[in-house]
Amino acid sequence: MLSVVCAARARCWLRRLALVMLGTGLIIGAYFQVPAVAYYWAQSAWSTDAAHPQVLWLPQYQAVVQARPVVGLEDNLSGLTFSTHTGTLFATTNRPAQIAELSTEGEVLRTIPIHGARDTEGITHIAGERFLLSDERNNTLYAVNIGPDTQAVQAREPLPMPLTSLHRNLGVEAVSWDARRQRLLVGQEKWPLRLLSVEGNPEIAASGAVTRPAELAVKEWSARGLGALFINDLASVTTHEPTGNLLLLSEESAMVVEYTPQGDPVSLLPLWSGLHGLEQKIPQPEGITLAPDDRMFIVSEPNLFYRFEKPATRGMVRQATGQGTAS
């Protein structure tokens, strides 16, 4: 009788151990991007971007500028945006709080101190000389103007965001303006990872006015299915305006994921050594943006600059400039 009881207990213990091991394996697999790796290799084998006209199709991208030091900035390079008004990039640092205007080759054209903000993590171009900055610690967006003669900006026009922060360093991390759809995308890094679509504020582009939070229509965006397992955090976000698809950049996962507006994943770009022309994994990627011709720019700490292009894009750039692209 005792032996039967012992055997039953042993079987029960083994079942519990198997369940624990299975659960642990699933958690570890999700954290280390096993689903993303499988999805990536499957999508890479499907076809070229020509078969996917309704998506940006990240597998076609190659690094043509990589790990280029951003000379003139010491540390903490974070948000990134492309200005269609100037044809240049604008990035932020938080210590010190400043904006850096960059060329598309990663050269610092000027730096602009920010007064009144504590922890500037993101920046997005709205229209003309109008930009929005995100302050993670204050959980706030600030509207500022940056003209050709701007020497400094004052963070005086706050737009508080309805994001609940569990830690003072986990507030508003990412911000991106979708001009075609007149919406703001505002992201929280993690705990929880959240992405909000903020609509009902067209004046922000037309006149630069900041609408009160009560007048905004806020919708929560979330990934669906396997897409929810692809990234562990949100460092930056941008929109592919022709399709409305979202590009989410994860620092921990070192990955860019393209999602439909409904949250379905459609393509991946792992920022790992040996893939897409990268000689080394991108360390701590923090900011991502797209140019109108679909060139992709990424900045990382410690202050490195990357540019990715598709073969068709490289041809268009060469024709427009009469020169080859840097590599």
Side-chain angles (χ1 to χ4, degrees), residues 37-294:
V37 171
Y39 186 91
Y40 171 74
W41 289 116
Q43 68 161 11
S44 298
W46 287 341
S47 59
T48 65
D49 60 336
H52 303 272
Q54 302 305 315
V55 301
L56 187 59
W57 200 241
L58 297 175
Q60 292 298 300
Y61 275 88
Q62 293 290 313
V64 296
V65 176
Q66 59 179 299
R68 178 170 291 173
V70 183
V71 179
L73 299 181
E74 294 181 2
D75 205 357
N76 299 313
L77 192 58
S78 187
L80 188 66
T81 190
F82 184 90
S83 169
T84 54
H85 183 63
T86 62
T88 58
L89 301 161
F90 289 79
T92 56
T93 67
N94 56 11
R95 290 187 300 274
Q98 65 179 353
I99 298 164
E101 183 176 5
L102 309 175
S103 74
T104 55
E105 297 294 331
E107 302 164 323
V108 175
L109 303 177
R110 59 172 169 162
T111 57
I112 304 168
I114 304 170
H115 301 305
R118 301 175 59 195
D119 187 14
T120 47
E121 288 288 344
I123 183 171
T124 187
H125 177 242
I126 303 297
E129 298 179 355
R130 197 66 164 171
F131 292 78
L132 282 182
L133 305 173
S134 67
D135 188 317
E136 187 173 27
R137 295 197 178 217
N138 291 339
N139 231 22
T140 300
L141 301 179
Y142 293 100
V144 298
N145 291 324
I146 304 173
D149 301 321
T150 300
Q151 302 295 316
V153 297
Q154 299 284 338
R156 292 175 176 169
E157 299 181 60
L159 180 68
M161 296 310 303
L163 284 170
T164 301
S165 176
L166 298 180
H167 186 276
R168 66 179 184 175
N169 198 38
L170 293 174
V172 177
E173 175 79 10
V175 59
S176 181
W177 173 251
D178 182 351
R180 179 171 294 191
R181 294 159 190 84
Q182 294 283 290
R183 63 175 178 174
L184 277 173
L185 297 170
V186 183
Q188 185 168 321
E189 182 179 1
K190 58 182 177 181
W191 301 344
L193 188 161
R194 297 180 67 194
L195 183 61
L196 303 182
S197 173
V198 184
E199 301 174 353
N201 193 22
E203 303 86 10
I204 202 165
S207 66
V210 176
T211 304
R212 293 189 300 274
E215 299 173 352
L216 301 178
V218 180
K219 301 177 183 178
E220 183 142 4
W221 179 94
S222 60
R224 302 195 298 196
L226 282 176
L229 301 176
F230 289 162
I231 58 175
N232 299 325
D233 69 323
L234 176 62
S236 186
V237 62
T238 193
T239 305
H240 182 230
E241 291 194 356
T243 62
N245 287 354
L246 310 181
L247 297 186
L248 272 59
L249 172 66
S250 170
E251 180 265 315
E252 290 186 6
S253 307
M255 186 178 301
V256 182
V257 186
E258 179 186 8
Y259 291 94
T260 66
Q262 295 74 34
D264 296 309
V266 290
S267 68
L268 276 71
L269 177 65
L271 307 176
W272 306 338
S273 175
L275 298 179
H276 302 277
L278 288 171
E279 297 176 0
Q280 294 181 334
K281 177 182 176 182
I282 296 183
Q284 199 171 339
E286 292 284 351
I288 185 172
T289 193
L290 287 171
D293 60 7
D294 290 346

Side-chain angles (χ1 to χ4, degrees), residues 16-29:
R16 291 178 180 175
L17 179 62
L19 289 174
V20 170
M21 293 178 65
L22 177 61
T24 302
L26 290 174
I27 293 173
I28 292 175

